[in-house]
């Protein structure tokens, strides 16, 4: 077989520049109507037993060029098991060197989570007793925005993921969260569903996911800058979700993401909102402390700069939800690279670790349930 590159599939992204012997030059394609790019996902055929060099030439101009330092790409033969392969970033070029064992191999920025897998997840969860499924509406490309309601308690808990579609670890996290919430043998799950109603949107950006985008929807809009004023023309995904939140209220919310540069798991909160109080801040801190206690994969030393008083960005969901509903609201960030405090040389940060962190996040929520319930009673 001759070497061949393709990405004309669900979530695929790459452009072939040239093939010279065993060296293949490639470019990542920008999100539609946007300058964002960093996500790649492509298939290499015909390379079994050959020492190949895959060069991504335009990494210097990507959305987060610092994310390439210390990064190793992922390769899979079956799109289920992924492993890290030797990669080097130098002079604006990411070079992936490997010797595939098969004539068919897939490469990705992180383990792919296709819309087909998403549909399998939705079908499985929607069929489970005790789950209410609805579509909140259709996206600009005509896809359904899938929503689950689980539990019957008075606390309103919102979990939503993948506003940025290239952050596929976010939907792997959702798999773990849903697995735990549907496990009636888990005593934590039983108590959580007695105390809270869970509102879950496993993929906020189906269009960007299918198109192979890093950060935007079908018309190049970053959904996590639309929460102050979403519109049907630019950001129907946010509009549908925020309208539903207006109907239910929000007591606790987690927006699940991935970070290109920081090799750690961390939270970003709502400091800097106009209505910030010490009570709200203390509950957020308590949740973070519980997650540190429960999961060795979580830490608080690394993270984003904290906004100063009054300087929160209310176009972002975490700040908007805290301000709009008085919610304990947060963004969870997971790495594209690895957790450097607990590294895995073979897989780095992975789908399985994302799933397990989700379980820990729900355990931490259980740990602060009494505080959330007390606050709910006081604010009635």
């Amino acid at each position: 077989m001759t070497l061949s590159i393709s990405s004309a599939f669900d979530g695929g992204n790459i452009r072939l520049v040239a093939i010279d012997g065993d060296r293949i030059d490639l470019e990542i394609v920008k999100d539609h109507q946007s300058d964002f790019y960093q996500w790649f996902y492509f298939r290499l055929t015909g390379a079994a037993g050959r020492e190949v060099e895959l060069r991504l030439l335009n990494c210097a101009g990507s959305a987060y060029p610092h994310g390439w330092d210390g990064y190793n790409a992922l390769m899979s033969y079956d799109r289920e098991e992924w492993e890290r392969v030797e990669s080097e970033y130098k002079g604006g070029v990411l070079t992936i060197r490997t010797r595939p064992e098969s004539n068919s191999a897939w490469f990705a920025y992180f383990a792919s989570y296709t819309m087909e897998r998403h549909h399998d997840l939705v079908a499985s969860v929607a069929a489970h007793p005790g789950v209410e499924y609805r579509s909140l509406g259709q996206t600009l490309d005509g896809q359904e925005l899938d929503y689950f309601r689980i539990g019957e308690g008075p606390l309103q808990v919102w979990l939503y993921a993948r506003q940025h579609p290239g952050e596929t670890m976010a939907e792997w996290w959702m798999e773990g969260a849903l697995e735990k919430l549907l496990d009636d043998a888990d005593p934590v799950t039983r108590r959580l569903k007695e105390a809270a109603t869970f509102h879950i949107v496993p993929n906020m950006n189906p269009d960007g996911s299918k198109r192979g985008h890093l950060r935007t929807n079908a018309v190049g809009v970053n959904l996590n800058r639309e929460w102050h004023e979403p519109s049907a023309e630019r950001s129907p995904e946010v509009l549908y979700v925020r309208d539903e939140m207006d109907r239910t209220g929000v007591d606790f919310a987690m927006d699940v993401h991935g970070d290109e540069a920081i090799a750690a798991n961390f939270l970003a909160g709502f400091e800097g909102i106009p209505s910030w109080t010490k009570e709200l801040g203390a509950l957020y801190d308590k949740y973070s402390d519980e997650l540190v206690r429960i999961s060795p994969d979580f830490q608080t030393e690394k993270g984003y700069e904290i906004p100063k008083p009054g300087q929160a960005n209310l176009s972002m969901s975490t700040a908007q939800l805290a301000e709009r509903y008085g919610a304990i609201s947060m963004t969870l960030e997971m790495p594209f690279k690895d957790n450097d405090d607990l590294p895995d040389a073979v897989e780095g940060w992975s789908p399985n670790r994302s799933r397990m962190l989700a379980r820990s996040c729900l355990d931490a929520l259980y740990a602060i349930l009494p505080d959330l319930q007390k606050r709910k009673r006081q604010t009635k």
Side-chain angles (χ1 to χ4, degrees):
M1 290 181 67
T2 58
L3 297 182
S4 181
I5 294 286
S6 60
S7 62
F9 45 76
D10 186 350
N13 181 313
I14 209 69
R15 178 188 298 117
L16 175 64
V17 176
I19 297 178
D20 183 4
D22 291 331
R23 189 180 75 193
I24 305 173
D25 287 347
L26 306 163
E27 289 183 344
I28 306 172
V29 180
K30 292 180 179 180
D31 292 5
H32 181 59
Q33 297 184 25
S34 168
D35 288 330
F36 286 114
Y37 68 89
Q38 193 132 349
W39 167 260
F40 63 87
Y41 178 30
F42 61 89
R43 185 182 183 189
L44 168 65
T45 60
R50 298 172 66 171
E51 295 283 353
V52 293
E53 187 176 273
L54 304 162
R55 303 197 309 170
L56 278 62
L57 303 180
N58 61 340
C59 291
S62 63
Y64 303 98
H66 293 302
W68 302 114
D69 294 322
Y71 166 80
N72 287 312
L74 284 149
M75 181 177 73
S76 176
Y77 298 117
D78 60 6
R79 296 180 298 166
E80 291 290 334
E81 300 295 327
W82 294 83
E83 65 179 43
R84 300 282 170 167
V85 290
E86 178 192 352
S87 307
E88 179 187 22
Y89 181 61
K90 187 177 181 180
V93 176
L94 182 75
T95 302
I96 304 166
R97 297 182 179 91
T98 187
R99 183 176 180 146
E101 297 175 1
S102 169
N103 272 323
S104 179
W106 281 264
F107 295 82
Y109 189 33
F110 194 80
S112 65
Y113 203 105
T114 64
M115 284 307 297
E116 280 305 305
R117 187 179 184 100
H118 169 84
H119 295 321
D120 290 341
L121 175 68
V122 169
S124 173
V125 173
H128 196 280
V131 174
E132 176 191 336
Y133 166 82
R134 278 192 291 131
S135 168
L136 296 182
Q138 288 194 348
T139 65
L140 295 169
D141 279 347
Q143 298 193 81
E144 306 295 346
L145 193 66
D146 297 306
Y147 160 88
F148 301 120
R149 182 183 175 111
I150 301 172
E152 55 188 18
L155 289 170
Q156 305 301 314
V157 175
W158 276 83
L159 307 176
Y160 54 105
R162 217 170 166 190
Q163 289 198 73
H164 300 148
E167 297 166 12
T168 55
M169 62 284 290
E171 198 157 3
W172 289 110
W173 184 99
M174 273 294 177
E175 274 200 8
L178 287 163
E179 286 165 1
K180 184 174 178 70
L181 287 172
L182 298 180
D183 182 2
D184 290 330
D186 187 325
V188 170
T189 290
R190 293 173 65 184
R191 290 302 189 203
L192 283 173
K193 291 195 289 188
E194 289 172 357
T197 300
F198 287 83
H199 309 271
I200 300 173
V201 182
N203 187 333
M204 284 282 299
N205 197 336
D207 293 352
S209 300
K210 190 168 186 178
R211 286 169 173 260
H213 286 187
L214 171 73
R215 200 165 174 84
T216 67
N217 69 357
V219 291
V221 171
N222 178 355
L223 296 182
N224 205 25
R225 298 298 184 274
E226 293 285 304
W227 286 79
H228 62 308
E229 196 174 3
S231 70
E233 295 75 25
R234 284 174 50 86
S235 48
E237 304 90 345
V238 176
L239 182 64
Y240 300 148
V241 171
R242 207 188 71 174
D243 283 352
E244 186 67 20
M245 289 176 168
D246 284 346
R247 287 188 280 271
T248 67
V250 185
D251 296 307
F252 180 95
M254 181 173 283
D255 178 17
V256 189
H257 286 259
D259 184 86
E260 289 79 2
I262 300 175
N265 294 287
F266 60 95
L267 292 175
F270 50 88
E271 302 90 345
I273 64 170
S275 62
W276 186 89
T277 66
K278 288 183 179 180
E279 179 203 10
L280 281 173
L283 268 176
Y284 169 80
D285 289 341
K286 185 168 185 179
Y287 179 84
S288 181
D289 291 343
E290 290 292 345
L291 192 50
V292 168
R293 180 181 64 82
I294 290 166
S295 175
D297 259 333
F298 183 75
Q299 56 79 55
T300 57
E301 299 300 316
K302 305 167 192 172
Y304 297 147
E305 185 177 348
I306 296 174
K308 295 178 181 178
Q311 295 187 10
N313 186 346
L314 296 180
S315 71
M316 299 173 70
S317 68
T318 287
Q320 177 65 215
L321 269 53
E323 181 65 20
R324 190 179 187 90
Y325 309 109
I328 308 304
S329 180
M330 62 199 69
T331 302
L332 173 68
E333 297 282 357
M334 292 175 284
F336 278 87
K337 299 175 184 178
D338 199 354
N339 171 11
D340 279 355
D341 295 330
L342 195 61
D344 182 328
V346 176
E347 295 187 36
W349 190 251
S350 66
N352 282 335
R353 292 173 81 181
S354 302
R355 289 192 193 99
M356 288 187 285
L357 183 60
R359 292 175 171 270
S360 296
C361 288
L362 290 172
D363 287 336
L365 176 61
Y366 171 72
I368 69 162
L369 265 184
D371 303 275
L372 291 173
Q373 290 169 320
K374 179 180 178 181
R375 182 169 182 273
K376 182 81 170 180
R377 290 192 296 269
Q378 290 173 341
T379 55
K380 275 188 176 180

